[in-house]
Amino acid sequence: MIRRCEFELVYKAIQRSGVAKDIEALLSPTGTGRKRRLAADVFLAGAVVVASQSSAMTLDNIHKVLTRSIPRSLQVELGIRSRQRGTDTPLSVRQVRYFFSALDEKIAVGERPVPGVAPLTEASVSPALQSIIDKLVKATIPASMPTTFSLAWDSSGLRTWGLPRWSTTEKIEAQGVDEERENSAKALANVKLRSKLPTHSFDADARSGYRTKTYNNKSHHLFGYELYAGVAVPPVGDDADVFPKLMMGMTLRPAAGSVVEPSLEVIDRLIADGKVIDELLCDRGFSYKRSEDWADELRKRGIDQTQDIHPLDHTMRDYEGMRVIDGVVYCPSIPDRLTRIDRPVRVKIAPLRKQASLEERQAHEKATKDLADFRAANAERAIYACE
């Protein structure tokens, strides 16, 4: 059961965003016709609650939240439960599906000549859907939030629930690998991805792509979307209550697409909204992008970049007699032993429990020593850096 105050907190934030009026204008441009029983803000509130419960984002689950999980008195107030002449009639799941189908037709991108068949052209996010996303995110940002900040930027693969039917003959090679990496045989060897070609899918905009294999993701293969998002990062030492870590912008794309275009698009929208991004923190996925496509574009916007370096780029290069290590210029007299410093297995070590076994104590001692040696080597190497 979800308490009234919990649901109303989400519901009021959605109302504050103004997206409900936008959706109603999309579904009924003239303002005529029979009024739907399910309002847009109620549907979105139900979807957010489903997501917050880590449940499958399905229309059936949204219907269950709206008709079973929130108090019945609130259901009556929201118009999704009717109590007239001794009857008690809740919203039907068919009405939820009808609302979503009507909205999907208005915000869909790309041609869909046959229902369930993926279009040949790569889909993007429609302006109407992106406007809904932007307004929902903006509604969660307090007015006191500073307008100048660093932005931690990353992407995450989202598996669609509209799984495809696969052909048995055609195959594709290493989808999701950027063109820049295709020239690296070693990089391609590390991407063990071979998948059959999707022929039919209930989600016509989804694509087959690549994602990092984790404990939750049992495979590198992904059929779905890529979510790009940025979180504001406060300066070191700032009060977290004054500068909370909040989502500032996001967008969605089919999997296996370009990461540069959607990233710059969100950054440009934030800048147009009066935000000043002084630094972008991104992962190794951006380290092998061509300078004219990524780094130069950030410089044009006055944004510095801090990023993880791809393992293939950890090396030393000679530049006019100077030694360039991981993008930093060092004095040529730097000792050879400091030109490559391997990362320890663990860079964060938890305290040892009181009843630790001998093996655990030995492993903890080794991990602590490795981390201390790693930090000491980096500190020594910093002495030779050219400033």
Side-chain angles (χ1 to χ4, degrees):
M1 193 69 179
I2 299 171
R3 293 184 299 173
R4 170 187 281 261
C5 61
E6 294 176 357
F7 188 88
E8 287 182 338
L9 184 66
V10 176
Y11 179 67
K12 291 178 179 179
I14 291 174
Q15 286 188 313
R16 187 168 61 247
S17 71
V19 298
K21 294 181 180 179
D22 296 343
I23 292 176
E24 296 296 346
L26 284 173
L27 299 181
S28 181
T30 61
T32 59
R34 183 180 177 183
K35 184 178 179 180
R36 282 174 288 97
R37 187 172 179 181
L38 178 59
D41 46 12
V42 176
F43 173 84
L44 291 175
V48 172
V49 170
V50 170
S52 66
Q53 294 178 334
S54 299
S55 301
M57 182 58 72
T58 63
L59 297 179
D60 286 352
N61 282 341
I62 295 175
H63 175 259
K64 290 176 182 178
V65 164
L66 295 177
T67 59
R68 302 182 190 178
S69 300
I70 62 177
R72 293 200 171 198
S73 59
L74 180 58
Q75 296 178 36
V76 175
E77 293 178 21
L78 298 176
I80 54 179
R81 181 173 290 273
S82 175
R83 287 180 175 175
Q84 296 179 353
R85 300 177 183 177
T87 62
D88 189 347
T89 308
L91 181 78
S92 68
V93 68
R94 182 174 177 273
Q95 290 170 310
V96 176
R97 293 170 181 167
Y98 174 80
F99 172 86
F100 183 79
S101 297
L103 179 60
D104 180 57
E105 289 182 2
K106 297 297 183 179
I107 62 177
V109 176
E111 299 180 358
R112 299 182 182 181
V114 180
V117 178
L120 297 178
T121 57
E122 182 175 348
S124 181
V125 174
S126 67
L129 177 56
Q130 188 60 58
S131 176
I132 293 172
I133 294 174
D134 291 342
K135 288 185 177 181
L136 287 174
V137 172
K138 191 173 182 179
T140 66
I141 303 174
S144 59
M145 185 76 177
T147 57
T148 301
F149 49 83
S150 298
L151 191 68
W153 187 256
D154 203 357
S155 63
S156 179
L158 298 179
R159 173 178 173 268
T160 181
W161 292 97
L163 294 179
R165 294 182 179 180
W166 304 96
S167 67
T168 57
T169 55
E170 297 180 276
K171 292 191 175 183
I172 51 177
E173 296 281 351
Q175 279 196 2
V177 182
D178 291 285
E179 293 180 359
E180 293 88 338
R181 296 183 68 187
E182 290 182 355
N183 296 326
S184 171
K186 186 175 181 181
L188 277 177
N190 292 332
V191 181
K192 299 178 180 178
L193 175 62
R194 290 179 61 87
S195 61
K196 298 176 183 178
L197 188 68
T199 55
H200 298 80
S201 172
F202 287 106
D203 191 342
D205 294 327
R207 293 293 185 275
S208 181
Y210 173 88
R211 67 177 172 187
T212 303
K213 185 178 180 180
T214 64
Y215 177 80
N216 293 323
N217 304 326
K218 304 300 182 182
S219 170
H220 284 299
H221 178 258
L222 167 72
F223 184 78
Y225 298 86
E226 196 77 20
L227 173 70
Y228 299 90
V231 175
V233 179
V236 177
D238 267 28
D239 187 351
D241 293 332
V242 177
F243 203 129
K245 299 180 181 67
L246 295 177
M247 185 81 70
M248 303 302 293
M250 61 188 294
T251 190
L252 193 70
R253 291 291 189 277
S258 168
V259 302
V260 171
E261 178 269 329
S263 301
L264 293 177
E265 182 182 295
V266 175
I267 290 172
D268 287 341
R269 285 201 303 273
L270 289 174
I271 294 174
D273 194 40
K275 305 297 188 297
V276 178
I277 304 172
D278 54 10
E279 182 183 20
L280 192 73
L281 313 175
C282 51
D283 67 5
R284 66 185 62 178
F286 292 87
S287 66
Y288 51 81
K289 299 304 173 189
R290 294 184 301 182
S291 178
E292 58 268 29
D293 293 337
W294 180 244
D296 292 350
E297 291 297 326
L298 292 181
R299 293 190 190 99
K300 292 178 184 177
R301 293 160 174 81
I303 302 174
D304 293 330
Q305 181 181 194
T306 299
Q307 63 181 205
D308 288 339
I309 298 180
H310 194 274
L312 298 178
D313 294 328
H314 277 290
T315 184
M316 183 186 71
R317 293 182 175 89
D318 179 82
Y319 179 75
E320 298 182 0
M322 307 298 285
R323 290 185 169 187
V324 181
I325 305 172
D326 294 349
V328 178
V329 181
Y330 291 89
C331 174
S333 64
I334 183 174
D336 291 338
R337 60 183 174 82
L338 295 177
T339 58
R340 180 177 180 87
I341 303 175
D342 292 326
R343 179 183 183 275
V345 177
R346 298 166 64 181
V347 294
K348 185 175 181 180
I349 303 174
L352 191 64
R353 63 189 186 94
K354 293 182 179 180
Q355 298 180 344
S357 64
L358 176 60
E359 290 78 7
E360 289 175 333
R361 290 197 298 271
Q362 290 175 340
H364 185 271
E365 181 179 350
K366 184 180 184 304
T368 303
K369 182 180 182 302
D370 290 345
L371 182 57
D373 292 343
F374 175 74
R375 290 173 173 170
N378 276 281
E380 183 180 358
R381 185 164 74 174
I383 299 173
Y384 296 89
C386 295
E387 298 182 357

